[in-house]
Amino acid sequence: MKNQLITIDAGTFFKAILIVLLFGLLYFLRDLVLVLLTAVVIASSVEPLTRWFGKYKIPRLLAVILIYAGLVTILFGILFLFLPTLLDETSGVMTTISQQIESSTLLSDGIGGAGIVNELSANFSLQETISGLRSVVGNVSGNFFATLSAIFGGLFSFILILVISFYLAVQEKGIENFLRLITPIK
């Protein structure tokens, strides 16, 4: 067996310390990094539609504004029109099912499961669950901005994501320039 000599010069040692400090800085600034990554993803998803509008000689700024307005309209439409109605109908079906189960003599007498049905109805109230679900849906649709704030870690972060993604989408090759700026040349 040969003896191997391993040497670590000062440059390698400082590079390792620099990498550890860089990861520590990224962890410390993780909210900002996540905002930037989210903005890049949104701007990247808007880019194909922007190019499609460009084929019809629509200016890039107007195309991005139309795309964002359309996305906001769709989001509000889903949240305010479809979701509450869907949950109201679901709760109505669940109420009907619970009433049928409670009034059914087949489950309580015919199968011999009286103990199971009584135990379920004593420990689990479907009506309370449905009313809790309705209040959650009411809060989500009523407090839309509070929900978005909770999802994106704050209203400021949400606005920052929209502004940065809009800026990157409006600029020609904005995403490419941004990525070229923050990534190493090699």
Side-chain angles (χ1 to χ4, degrees), residues 13-186:
F13 184 70
F14 286 122
K15 284 181 185 177
I17 290 175
L18 186 64
I19 289 172
V20 169
L21 289 175
L22 180 66
F23 279 115
L25 181 65
L26 284 176
Y27 179 76
F28 181 70
L29 298 173
R30 67 185 176 272
D31 291 337
L32 181 62
V33 171
L34 288 175
V35 165
L36 288 174
L37 286 175
T38 306
V40 167
V41 167
I42 291 172
S44 297
S45 66
V46 167
E47 184 66 28
L49 285 172
T50 306
R51 277 191 247 128
W52 182 80
F53 277 114
K55 288 180 184 177
Y56 297 103
K57 305 293 185 208
I58 296 175
R60 192 169 180 88
L61 177 64
L62 181 62
V64 173
I65 290 172
L66 289 173
I67 292 168
Y68 273 66
L71 290 175
V72 167
T73 303
I74 290 170
L75 183 65
F76 276 115
I78 289 171
L79 284 178
F80 288 114
L81 295 177
F82 296 120
L83 190 63
T85 305
L86 176 68
L87 290 174
D88 282 342
E89 292 297 324
T90 304
S91 67
V93 168
M94 296 300 282
T95 303
T96 304
I97 289 173
S98 69
Q99 289 171 353
Q100 291 295 325
I101 287 174
E102 290 172 3
S103 68
S104 174
T105 57
L106 177 64
L107 285 176
S108 61
D109 297 333
I111 301 175
I116 295 172
V117 172
N118 290 336
E119 191 69 29
L120 277 176
S121 63
N123 292 332
F124 176 74
S125 173
L126 193 56
Q127 292 289 60
E128 290 177 12
T129 305
I130 291 169
S131 65
L133 185 62
R134 278 187 178 171
S135 69
V136 167
V137 170
N139 287 339
V140 167
S141 63
N143 299 326
F144 178 70
F145 289 110
T147 304
L148 284 179
S149 174
I151 290 172
F152 289 104
L155 185 60
F156 179 73
S157 295
F158 178 68
I159 291 171
L160 197 59
I161 288 170
L162 288 178
V163 168
I164 292 172
S165 66
F166 184 82
Y167 176 75
L168 291 175
V170 166
Q171 283 189 347
E172 189 75 32
K173 296 186 180 184
I175 301 166
E176 293 175 25
N177 293 337
F178 175 73
L179 292 176
R180 196 174 298 128
L181 178 70
I182 64 169
T183 56
I185 295 172
K186 293 182 181 180

